[in-house]
Amino acid sequence: MSLVVALSGGVGGAKLALGLSRVLPAEELLVVCNTGDDFEHLGLSVSPDIDTVMYTLAGLANAELGWGRADESWAFMETLAAIGGETWFRLGDRDLAVHVERTRRLLAGEDLSAVTAEFCTRLGVLPRVVPMTDHRVRTRVRTEDGWIAFQDYFVRQQCRPVVRQIAFSGADEARPQPEFLAALRDEKLRAVVICPSNPFISVEPILALPGVRTALEACAAPVIAVSPIIAGRAIKGPTAKMMAELGLDVSAAGVAARYGDLLDGYVVDHADAASVPGAVAATTLMKTIEDRENLARVVLGLAYRLRGCQLRE
Ligand code: FO1
């Protein structure tokens, strides 16, 4: 029995998590979701990166939007608009049920892990999906107008403001989710996969939790990242713009440099293979389900080769 831990945020993360879920037995995959994007909106507790993974693994994700559910209706939003409510963050009717029920259960004292586990069970998601922590961590972005909440930047302002700084408020006081930390110490662990998510907003909140970087550095299994940048462009979202504004090289090599010596292996698109010595080249633009599975196989193959080397040392 082996174990693979995937760190996921955003759409790219969920795509590779799906690929991994299709090439691994369910009990061998633990998906750790960023919760820095979480926020309270309309009185509801919203956890976008958990929901994107949950819906994707359940086959319920809205492929066009990249977030929320398929087969959605928008009666709630239309009615909210008619009565002057805030509609910049769009909540479909089916999606709304998840936010309402999550909010009720959190207010009743359940932790986010328990709520997530119950929703996944009910939606038929077999791999374990956990938040990076059960404590409150919120990604905040400093722009020329000062510090704003992530969803305000990302959705309400459509990533227009120039990003000067990013912070993860609450991270220092937060504790990594227990199953996550235990998995990093589990001798069955075969790989830690950093999915092709935005390193700043999807991965670094997880790395910022006390003890995570240390556990990753100490972990016997290889840590493999997949570049979210292909030929200098991000597939989705503000990654490229953000990297440029934060003064980082907008390239697969720039992302690897950002992760530094945390990585044992790195997978880049064929387009970037020449510019990142030592990286493994693959098709990292995941258009089809086969793309997701193939990329998962490449990542796991690299991890097993590296681990094999480590065992031989
Ligand atoms: N992203 C948008 O660009 N516009 C939206 O209206 C929007 C609504 C939304 C509702 C639920 C949900 O789980 C995600 C939603 N997202 C929306 C995406 C969300 O902002 C991003 O998925 C993450 O925060 C970034 O990884």
Side-chain angles (χ1 to χ4, degrees), residues 9-11 34 37 46-49 51-52 55 66-68 87-91 95 99 150-151 154-155 158 201-202:
V11 179
N34 166 45
D37 294 2
V46 179
S47 296
D49 284 353
D51 291 350
T52 300
Y55 290 148
W67 45 265
T87 56
W88 57 267
F89 194 79
R90 303 191 50 66
L91 297 170
D95 189 34
H99 307 302
F150 174 74
Q151 297 297 348
F154 187 79
V155 178
Q158 297 292 304
I201 54 178
S202 297

Side-chain angles (χ1 to χ4, degrees), residues 96-129:
L96 180 62
V98 167
H99 307 302
V100 168
E101 178 60 4
R102 172 181 287 125
T103 303
R104 183 191 69 76
R105 296 179 75 151
L106 291 175
L107 288 175
E110 284 191 64
D111 62 30
L112 189 54
S113 295
V115 179
T116 304
E118 175 71 15
F119 285 1
C120 284
T121 301
R122 288 182 177 269
L123 292 180
V125 174
L126 297 178
R128 275 183 298 157
V129 177

Side-chain angles (χ1 to χ4, degrees), residues 42-287:
L42 307 178
L44 298 169
S45 293
V46 179
S47 296
D49 284 353
I50 290 177
D51 291 350
T52 300
V53 166
M54 183 172 72
Y55 290 148
T56 300
L57 296 188
L60 295 172
N62 186 315
E64 300 75 57
L65 290 175
W67 45 265
R69 282 187 67 143
D71 308 323
E72 227 359 321
S73 55
W74 302 93
F76 169 70
M77 277 282 115
E78 285 154 22
T79 309
L80 189 63
I83 59 174
E86 277 191 85
T87 56
W88 57 267
F89 194 79
R90 303 191 50 66
L91 297 170
D93 299 331
R94 294 179 185 282
D95 189 34
L96 180 62
V98 167
H99 307 302
V100 168
E101 178 60 4
R102 172 181 287 125
T103 303
R104 183 191 69 76
R105 296 179 75 151
L106 291 175
L107 288 175
E110 284 191 64
D111 62 30
L112 189 54
S113 295
V115 179
T116 304
E118 175 71 15
F119 285 1
C120 284
T121 301
R122 288 182 177 269
L123 292 180
V125 174
L126 297 178
R128 275 183 298 157
V129 177
V130 296
M132 67 186 193
T133 176
D134 282 316
H135 300 105
R136 180 192 171 84
V137 175
R138 293 289 180 269
T139 299
R140 298 182 65 75
V141 172
R142 184 168 66 79
T143 70
E144 56 270 28
D145 303 325
W147 288 96
I148 56 175
F150 174 74
Q151 297 297 348
D152 184 329
Y153 161 75
F154 187 79
V155 178
R156 197 175 67 80
Q157 302 194 56
Q158 297 292 304
C159 305
R160 276 187 302 271
V162 172
V163 173
R164 302 257 185 261
Q165 200 179 349
I166 296 173
F168 311 122
S169 72
D172 294 344
E173 299 74 41
R175 288 289 158 266
Q177 205 275 355
E179 291 174 73
F180 168 30
L181 217 45
L184 295 183
R185 298 186 179 118
D186 191 322
E187 85 282 345
K188 297 191 299 299
L189 186 64
R190 290 288 177 277
V192 177
V193 180
I194 299 181
C195 292
S197 310
N198 180 316
F200 304 103
I201 54 178
S202 297
V203 181
E204 290 191 1
I206 302 174
L207 303 181
L209 297 171
V212 168
R213 268 188 191 274
T214 313
L216 284 172
E217 281 153 5
C219 118
V223 178
I224 314 282
V226 176
S227 171
I229 299 276
I230 297 178
R233 285 180 52 254
I235 307 311
K236 196 169 170 55
T239 305
K241 176 176 180 287
M242 218 178 236
M243 286 179 79
E245 289 165 357
L246 290 168
L248 284 132
D249 179 29
V250 185
S251 65
V255 171
R258 183 77 191 176
Y259 286 133
D261 53 11
L262 204 56
L263 302 185
D264 298 300
Y266 193 46
V267 177
V268 302
D269 193 80
H270 295 292
D272 300 300
S275 63
V276 191
V280 165
T283 301
T284 60
L285 182 60
M286 294 177 273
K287 292 187 191 131

